[in-house]
Amino acid sequence: MSKAMIAMSGGVDSSVAAFLTLQQGYEVIGATMKLFDKDDIGIQEKTCCSLDDVMDAKSVCARLGIDHYVFNMKDEFAADVMRRFAETYRDGATPNPCIDCNRYIKFGGLLRRAEQLDCDYIVTGHYASIEFDKASGRYLLKKAADNAKDQTYFLYPLNQHQLSRTLFPLGKLTKPEVRAIAESNQFINSRKHDSQDICFVPDGDYVKFLEGYFGETCPCGNFVDKDGNIIGQHKGTIRYTIGQRKGLGMGFNKPMYVCAKDVAKRTVTLGDNEDLFSTQVNASDVTMIAYEKLDRPIRVTAKVRYSQREEKAILEQTGDREIHLEFENPQRAVAPGQAVVCYEDNVVVCGGTIV
């Protein structure tokens, strides 16, 4: 009998993933990761990773009759997620900590712990599917049946070993179906709301978190136009993101948008909406999934942020972990630090960090 460790956040998705894995005949254990304390992030209200979440996970495990472990992964999370988030913002880019959490914590640190406990697989409540393709000899990452919940954008860093050791039981289900399973089994969290915010910035105040993390206030600087002319004063580069229009702190005679940031010069470049569009995107730190390597350009669909729809593009691999994309239609507000993920139909081709 194969043994599987379920990554249990205390939410409904991971709880149903545990139930389905057990139903499929695996020997199952539950595991919850302790990633931070409230004092670590300067927040006093309830957050995910709370004692309530741990108790919800324990309640579900008890109902299923499986063991439950809590792993202290605070050091790994602080180094590989929170530090990267803070330093990326400080350096002028826009980070995606959920992707780093998947890369380094869930499918990195937790998978290693699972293997130390002789588990054959790690299981999560992500909405995605994994399929082994005999023709290519590669494990493929495929979109979920519930398009509105599909999470492949956040999962592109998974390598072939990680994909071979991972199960996604919710890939063929919709969210209402998952909640119905939880209710039929009387799980305590069957109606628990999904977390929408970054877990360690639950109030959405990134600036407060960053200034607390570095112990200093981000220095003010100049707003400049695209010709470099000073047109105003800003309150610190970390307060602005590419494409931002509201909250600039001063008025202009027409709508102005953040087009670029230069941390070294302490400048934020403002321009018109049309200045935000581009067809060329380069990315590094790329993970190839559907192919070991591209020897020629191919047609794909791709998106430069989770919330947007995919757009047609030509993908070319330009280095071992580098790609170039030329979009058919210009893309708005492409932000360095975010991810670009490429697809062929419902299969993830690759993904990387926009540079």
Side-chain angles (χ1 to χ4, degrees):
M1 180 186 296
S2 295
K3 187 176 180 181
M5 176 184 285
I6 320 294
M8 302 189 70
S9 64
V12 64
D13 293 330
S14 56
S15 298
V16 172
F19 168 77
L20 293 174
T21 306
L22 195 62
Q23 290 291 101
Q24 291 167 8
Y26 291 88
E27 179 185 350
V28 172
I29 60 174
T32 300
M33 298 175 290
K34 183 65 175 175
L35 302 178
F36 56 83
D37 293 320
K38 290 187 291 183
D39 291 343
D40 296 336
I41 58 174
I43 298 291
Q44 296 307 311
E45 64 262 28
K46 183 182 183 299
T47 69
C48 79
C49 198
S50 68
L51 180 60
D52 287 344
D53 292 319
V54 174
M55 296 310 296
D56 285 348
K58 282 189 177 297
S59 171
V60 171
C61 287
R63 191 162 192 84
L64 294 176
I66 63 176
D67 291 335
H68 177 259
Y69 297 85
V70 178
F71 293 119
N72 184 348
M73 301 183 71
K74 291 170 57 178
D75 290 344
E76 295 100 315
F77 190 78
D80 292 325
V81 179
M82 295 171 68
R83 178 182 60 82
R84 289 176 183 274
F85 174 85
E87 291 181 351
T88 300
Y89 251 120
R90 183 190 60 188
D91 294 342
T94 304
N96 197 316
C98 294
I99 290 175
D100 281 338
C101 187
N102 285 333
R103 185 199 305 262
Y104 299 108
I105 308 302
K106 291 187 180 76
F107 302 97
L110 189 62
L111 177 56
R112 287 192 295 272
R113 282 168 169 76
E115 291 174 335
Q116 289 167 359
L117 291 173
D118 297 323
C119 291
D120 302 287
Y121 298 99
I122 187 172
V123 181
T124 75
H126 285 100
Y127 287 82
S129 293
I130 297 171
E131 179 182 298
F132 181 71
D133 179 50
K134 292 182 180 179
S136 65
R138 297 184 69 79
Y139 287 87
L140 303 180
L141 177 63
K142 307 182 77 169
K143 293 179 187 175
D146 189 340
N147 191 57
K149 295 296 293 181
D150 176 64
Q151 293 173 296
T152 52
Y153 178 86
F154 300 105
L155 296 167
Y156 81 81
L158 270 67
N159 59 38
Q160 287 294 299
H161 173 71
Q162 291 165 337
L163 289 169
S164 74
R165 291 298 195 97
T166 299
L167 302 175
F168 292 139
L170 307 189
K172 305 300 183 184
L173 300 176
T174 64
K175 186 71 176 195
E177 289 172 332
V178 168
R179 289 205 183 276
I181 292 171
E183 287 189 337
S184 67
N185 285 277
Q186 298 181 324
F187 290 164
I188 192 172
N189 52 17
S190 63
R191 287 291 157 187
K192 191 173 184 177
H193 293 298
D194 295 335
S195 176
Q196 300 294 326
D197 298 314
I198 294 174
C199 63
F200 55 92
V201 193
D203 59 357
D205 192 342
Y206 303 145
V207 174
K208 178 182 176 182
F209 170 81
L210 293 167
E211 291 183 339
Y213 186 89
F214 291 116
E216 58 185 23
T217 301
C218 182
C220 300
N222 294 322
F223 282 127
V224 299
D225 62 21
K226 54 189 175 183
D227 295 319
N229 300 308
I230 297 173
I231 56 176
Q233 299 289 310
H234 67 70
K235 298 180 180 179
T237 56
I238 63 172
R239 297 176 182 271
Y240 309 94
T241 57
I242 304 300
Q244 179 178 337
R245 179 175 70 86
K246 297 181 179 180
L248 298 180
M250 59 183 301
F252 298 93
N253 58 8
K254 62 177 181 178
M256 297 289 278
Y257 301 82
V258 175
C259 296
K261 301 191 293 182
D262 188 322
V263 174
K265 296 180 179 178
R266 297 182 184 176
T267 60
V268 175
T269 302
L270 303 181
D272 299 321
N273 185 56
E274 53 263 34
D275 296 325
L276 290 169
F277 288 84
S278 58
T279 58
Q280 310 288 321
V281 174
N282 293 312
S284 64
D285 201 20
V286 170
T287 300
M288 300 297 298
I289 296 181
Y291 304 91
E292 182 177 354
K293 185 178 182 180
L294 291 177
D295 55 10
R296 59 180 175 79
I298 63 172
R299 296 183 180 275
V300 298
T301 57
K303 55 183 180 180
V304 296
R305 60 182 61 85
Y306 172 66
S307 59
Q308 79 165 157
R309 67 182 184 184
E310 297 161 35
E311 298 283 351
K312 294 179 181 179
I314 300 296
L315 165 67
E316 180 180 6
Q317 187 171 358
T318 54
D320 287 342
R321 303 200 67 189
E322 297 173 337
I323 57 173
H324 172 79
L325 282 159
E326 183 169 348
F327 282 89
E328 186 174 291
N329 297 311
Q331 301 301 294
R332 185 182 184 277
V334 178
Q338 286 286 288
V340 57
V341 180
C342 307
Y343 298 85
E344 285 183 319
D345 295 324
N346 67 336
V347 176
V348 176
V349 174
C350 64
T353 304
I354 297 168
V355 296

